[in-house]
């Protein structure tokens, strides 16, 4: 059987997009949980400006995540280490697909949510980001999207914990190159 050779590590674009999106998502999760707990009675101004900032960063994540998905569909990732079982292959694939669903689904649900409300979506104060047409004034729909946004964010937290655990297991227990090939400036190990 002929095997198509693949690059030993992820492309530079894939690595940059992985880490930029990862940092932004972690910031969005922490920020979202923080500002939604600020009281309007005592911190109204801070809460409103953090919400605006959260929306603008989130929409940036949406654009980057779509670009990343396109990159992923057009660039084959490096093959997984040979010693991994079929189950591990399937678990890795399922996790990665779910991640793509979440990194696009969470900001999309956020955009749908705020498209239903009347406040404008300011993009870092530079311009008003358009709303998705057809939802303005539909507050019930906005509330549903808020719930979807929130539950997907909780799912992302669980998945990130699993993902980091898997990456560290590969690096420190299996001692393969799975983590190294996704790190910038680190040479992939020779062993798979
Ligand atoms: C990029 C990924 C994003 C992540 C990980 C994220 C995460 C979160 C989290 C954890 C919360 C707090 C939980 C809650 O809903 O009460 C939250 C709240 C919120 N998010 Fe996002 N978000 C993202 C993108 C967006 C986008 C693109 C928008 C809108 C354009 C948005 C709009 C909002 C709003 C309006 C709230 C607060 C609702 C309230 O005040 O109760 N989010 N987000
Ligand atoms: C919000 C945080 C994160 C998200 C959304 C995320 C998402 C993803 C996705 C979608 C992939 C699949 C790449 C592809 O084939 O297209 C991936 C791969 C990977 N991620 Fe993350 N990641 C996050 C954080 C992290 C962290 C903190 C680490 C390290 C501790 C990490 C280590 C890796 C590694 C090593 C791979 C490559 C796995 C392989 O070769 O199969 N990620 N990540």
């Amino acid at each position: 059987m002929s095997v198509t050779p693949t690059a030993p590590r992820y492309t530079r674009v894939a690595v940059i997009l992985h880490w930029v999106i990862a940092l932004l998502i972690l910031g969005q999760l922490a920020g979202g949980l923080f500002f939604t707990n600020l009281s309007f009675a005592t911190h109204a101004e801070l809460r409103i400006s953090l919400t605006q900032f959260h929306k603008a960063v989130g929409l940036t994540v949406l654009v980057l995540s779509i670009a990343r998905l396109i990159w992923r569909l057009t660039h084959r990732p490096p093959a997984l280490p040979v010693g991994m079982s079929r189950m591990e292959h399937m678990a890795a694939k399922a996790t990665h697909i779910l991640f793509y669903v979440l990194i696009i689904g969470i900001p999309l649900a956020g955009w749908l949510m705020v498209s239903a409300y009347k406040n404008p979506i300011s993009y870092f104060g530079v311009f008003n980001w358009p709303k998705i047409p057809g939802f303005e004034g539909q507050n019930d729909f906005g509330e549903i999207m808020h719930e979807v946004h929130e539950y997907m964010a909780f799912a992302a937290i669980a998945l990130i914990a699993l993902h980091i655990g898997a990456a560290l297991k590969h690096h420190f227990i299996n001692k393969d190159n799975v983590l190294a090939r996704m790190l910038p400036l680190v040479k992939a190990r020779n062993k798979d």
Side-chain angles (χ1 to χ4, degrees), residues 3-104:
V3 178
T4 316
T6 50
R9 47 181 295 123
Y10 278 92
T11 59
R12 191 192 299 247
V13 173
V15 172
I16 292 172
L17 284 172
H18 174 273
W19 290 106
V20 169
I21 293 171
L23 289 178
L24 292 178
I25 298 254
L26 290 173
Q28 286 289 91
L29 290 168
L33 294 173
F34 171 71
F35 78 73
T36 50
N37 280 306
L38 288 174
S39 152
F40 269 113
T42 51
H43 294 91
E45 215 169 297
L46 179 62
R47 181 165 173 160
I48 291 166
S49 42
L50 287 179
T51 309
Q52 285 301 348
F53 185 70
H54 177 87
K55 291 184 213 171
V57 174
L59 290 163
T60 309
V61 171
L62 178 61
V63 173
L64 290 175
S65 299
I66 293 170
R68 180 175 177 188
L69 180 61
I70 294 169
W71 185 268
R72 174 64 169 79
L73 294 174
T74 50
H75 296 79
R76 185 193 268 252
L80 286 167
V82 276
M84 279 174 66
S85 69
R86 228 173 98 83
M87 275 299 290
E88 287 173 315
H89 274 258
M90 279 163 60
K93 196 170 179 185
T95 310
H96 294 167
I97 291 173
L98 195 52
F99 258 136
Y100 280 102
V101 170
L102 292 173
I103 64 178
I104 292 173

